[in-house]
Amino acid sequence: MTHPRICYEIFVRSFCDSNGDGIGDLNGIRSKLPYLQEFGVEAIWLTPIQPSPSYHKYDVVDYYGIEPEYGTLDDFKNLLTEAHARGIKVILDLVINHTSVRHPWFVESAKGKASPYRNYYNWKSPEEIEALGIATREATPDTWERKPWHSAVGNTEKYYGLFWKGMPDLNCDHPPVRQAIYEIGNYWLEMGVDGFRLDAARHIYPEWEEYKNYDFWVEFRTEMQKVNPQVYLVGEVWNAADKIAPYFRGLTANFNFDLSLALQKITAEERDTVHLIVTLAKNRQVFAQTNPRFIDATMLTNHDQTRIGSVLHGKQTHLKVAANLLFTLPGQPYVYYGEELGMLGQKPDDFIREPFLWGYRQHDRERARWMKPKYSKSVTVTPLVGQQNDPNSLYNHYKRLIHFRKSNAVIGSFYGQIEPLPNRNPRLVAFKRGLAEQEVWVLHNLSSTTVTYFASFMPTELLLTTDTASRFEKVDTISLAPFSCVVLGE
Ligand SMILES: [Ca+2]
Ligand SMILES: [Ca+2]
């Protein structure tokens, strides 16, 4: 079994409502498996589906249950069976850095120092916190919390909650906690789940002992492989590439946040101001030094970032360029649900998680209605039904790119070589990718003007062109239509 080549992130609450209660659910996702299969997806990552008091469910109260708003365990098993029948793997969001304050472990832990669950969490006296100099921290992109120690009624000691007082961090130095985590993971793998997206993977241990995370994930993987030797683990390590590298010791894949930001920037600016390929090649080398079988999980944006649609102000030309880049670079692309429609959304978080637009307004019976969308509505974004029959739609552009990527061994590979082609034009991103004996050239025009590229020798076959106006002028010169991409091979 190989790992999925194209993945799709589903914010469960907003994807598809099967029973008309306004909340996206598991049966809704199951009903859309034919859609996802046709689109070309090989795995779906579901945001947390376990019981939780919040709308996003990143604060779990029962690791063995299914959130009743989303369905039942049988619904989930049916989803799993049908996804597998369609060649789609299922990746669950596993949130083990912290629990909800309402999780029974925390309720017990907060009862006092004598509680058998006390050490499931990190408790320290205010004096100790001061003495260690850990009372405050600097904000990071993944958490703005500056004062991570919180008071609990009836306790003089404070507990550590990196993200929020409602999400106390588990204490992974406590062997029963580790054991509990492994049992949870194994439970879902035994059911047939293919892997996990590991929330807050860099925060398992507090920041002053981050290095302990690397070994933690190695041990976690070993424990998961006892059930599924092919288990797929993708980490959320929201940090610079060199800080991500050590996580590849334990994890199959890690999201590349630097690349996400770089793709957004150069597409918006229509110029490669970040030396995209040089930087990416260097980072990939750093990853490979830790683990030559690393998988670079790439994306334009995810559920924690302003949607690419809004970053690029809904401009279809630019959204197509962003997709061209994503699907021709090495790695394992993730599509955030609705991105293929050009859905819009800006922070606060709810508004980057708006309902998927299957159809138009009241005719859309599958649309989730748990929130009133601010950005993505039928008037601002063409729903799927309006894009499917339009060959020029963003949806069909995505679909063509995905199918091209899957049809070309070099382009679709996690591995192989990537290096920049000689090029002095910042409007152009030009690189070659190699795998075994094969080589392809990829040229992207980021700008609104036609760009010409010359090389004394270049491959002669046009494997992909996103605009029929892009063409060879001579055997050594190719002209690229505005915002277009070509892939050349032998
Ligand atoms: Ca529902
Ligand atoms: Ca932690």
Side-chain angles (χ1 to χ4, degrees):
M1 289 283 270
T2 53
H3 294 301
R5 290 173 294 180
I6 308 282
C7 307
Y8 190 91
E9 178 187 1
I10 294 177
F11 192 81
V12 177
R13 195 176 197 79
S14 290
F15 190 59
C16 178
D17 176 21
S18 70
N19 60 356
D21 68 354
I23 297 173
D25 48 54
L26 298 173
N27 285 336
I29 296 171
R30 183 160 61 89
S31 74
K32 293 302 176 186
L33 289 170
Y35 167 73
L36 294 165
Q37 184 182 20
E38 190 193 329
F39 189 48
V41 165
E42 293 186 338
I44 47 177
W45 151 26
L46 308 183
T47 56
I49 58 170
Q50 295 154 343
S52 158
S54 63
Y55 84 93
H56 52 69
K57 315 225 171 282
Y58 279 93
D59 45 343
V60 175
V61 295
D62 173 11
Y63 288 101
Y64 291 94
I66 296 288
E67 166 60 53
E69 290 181 329
Y70 293 169
T72 64
L73 193 57
D74 278 341
D75 294 338
F76 179 66
K77 287 178 177 171
N78 290 337
L79 168 59
L80 201 53
T81 305
E82 198 171 321
H84 287 166
R86 293 179 179 277
I88 297 174
K89 292 177 191 283
V90 178
I91 301 159
L92 290 189
D93 219 316
L94 191 61
V95 188
I96 49 171
N97 173 66
H98 51 263
T99 67
S100 164
V101 273
R102 299 190 205 173
H103 192 289
W105 295 340
F106 189 77
V107 173
E108 287 302 317
S109 185
K111 284 183 179 169
K113 287 186 179 178
S115 164
Y117 287 90
R118 188 65 167 182
N119 291 331
Y120 270 51
Y121 298 85
N122 305 285
W123 295 89
K124 289 191 193 299
S125 68
E127 297 75 27
E128 202 180 347
I129 293 165
E130 280 306 321
L132 290 167
I134 54 175
T136 59
R137 65 184 290 279
E138 295 293 318
T140 46
D142 49 3
T143 167
W144 293 352
E145 184 68 74
R146 290 171 186 277
K147 294 180 177 171
W149 294 91
H150 311 282
S151 303
V153 178
N155 287 272
T156 51
E157 289 188 324
K158 292 182 168 190
Y159 66 91
Y160 183 75
L162 174 65
F163 289 90
W164 173 50
K165 65 177 177 5
M167 295 178 169
D169 280 49
L170 284 164
N171 171 16
C172 288
D173 264 344
H174 189 49
V177 169
R178 286 198 181 211
Q179 205 47 46
I181 287 171
Y182 302 149
E183 281 168 17
I184 291 161
N186 286 341
Y187 169 80
W188 293 102
L189 292 179
E190 275 161 13
M191 198 181 295
V193 165
D194 300 284
F196 301 109
R197 179 265 183 183
L198 300 153
D199 186 62
R202 64 176 282 215
H203 293 301
I204 297 303
Y205 281 89
E207 282 151 328
W208 56 91
E209 44 189 23
E210 186 183 355
Y211 63 94
K212 287 188 178 178
N213 293 329
Y214 316 145
D215 284 342
F216 173 83
W217 289 119
V218 172
E219 188 175 304
F220 179 85
R221 185 196 61 209
T222 306
E223 292 294 328
M224 296 305 105
Q225 285 178 327
K226 288 177 184 171
V227 174
N228 178 356
Q230 302 299 323
V231 66
Y232 169 83
L233 303 174
V234 59
E236 180 206 19
V237 177
W238 196 326
N239 213 337
D242 58 329
K243 299 284 197 312
I244 291 174
Y247 288 88
F248 282 113
R249 283 178 48 206
L251 302 177
T252 327
N254 284 290
F255 289 110
N256 192 332
F257 287 91
D258 275 0
L259 180 66
S260 155
L261 296 176
L263 295 175
Q264 293 174 36
K265 183 173 158 65
I266 68 169
T267 311
E269 293 177 353
E270 302 181 16
R271 301 169 77 83
D272 180 7
T273 48
V274 302
H275 303 289
L276 184 77
I277 304 305
V278 176
T279 309
L280 180 63
K282 197 169 71 189
N283 289 337
R284 290 178 60 83
Q285 229 164 27
V286 175
F287 298 158
Q289 280 163 8
T290 304
N291 178 1
R293 304 310 284 173
F294 76 97
I295 295 179
D296 188 22
T298 59
M299 78 267 186
L300 296 175
T301 67
N302 71 12
H303 68 284
D304 287 323
Q305 298 165 288
T306 293
R307 276 187 177 272
I308 188 71
S310 286
V311 171
L312 301 175
H313 308 290
K315 287 184 269 188
Q316 301 293 300
T317 45
H318 294 65
L319 287 168
K320 287 178 179 175
V321 171
N324 294 344
L325 289 161
L326 179 70
F327 291 114
T328 54
L329 290 172
Q332 182 187 43
Y334 273 74
V335 176
Y336 181 44
Y337 82 98
E339 183 185 309
E340 70 274 34
L341 306 181
M343 274 176 62
L344 308 170
Q346 296 178 41
K347 295 217 171 197
D349 286 345
D350 331 11
F351 299 107
I352 52 186
R353 303 163 179 178
E354 293 183 343
F356 190 101
L357 301 169
W358 298 101
Y360 288 94
R361 293 186 205 90
Q362 67 272 23
H363 301 291
D364 190 353
R365 292 176 185 280
E366 296 168 313
R367 191 188 302 183
R369 300 193 190 271
W370 65 274
M371 58 109 67
K372 199 170 153 32
K374 196 168 158 186
Y375 299 101
S376 294
K377 312 175 195 186
S378 304
V379 287
T380 51
V381 175
T382 307
L384 178 68
V385 70
Q387 296 203 28
Q388 276 176 314
N389 294 325
D390 172 3
N392 293 319
S393 69
L394 187 64
Y395 163 75
N396 276 313
H397 187 78
Y398 263 73
K399 196 172 152 186
R400 279 191 298 271
L401 287 168
I402 288 172
H403 286 268
F404 171 71
R405 184 178 182 89
K406 287 165 71 175
S407 72
N408 187 291
V410 185
I411 291 290
S413 175
F414 300 142
Y415 307 112
Q417 303 303 314
I418 180 166
E419 58 180 271
L421 287 164
N423 167 37
R424 288 172 175 273
N425 187 345
R427 295 167 190 275
L428 188 72
V429 173
F431 57 94
K432 60 179 169 184
R433 292 187 57 188
L435 185 72
E437 298 299 298
Q438 283 178 285
E439 185 174 282
V440 296
W441 287 26
V442 184
L443 304 171
H444 294 275
N445 182 355
L446 306 178
S447 76
S448 59
T449 52
T450 298
V451 164
T452 304
Y453 185 75
F454 163 86
S456 52
F457 160 83
M458 71 170 92
T460 50
E461 198 189 336
L462 218 43
L463 300 178
L464 171 80
T465 172
T466 61
D467 187 322
T468 47
S470 297
R471 59 190 168 76
F472 278 102
E473 282 179 6
K474 286 183 278 180
V475 69
D476 58 2
T477 308
I478 191 156
S479 91
L480 288 151
F483 306 114
S484 76
C485 158
V486 299
V487 179
L488 310 174
E490 291 304 327

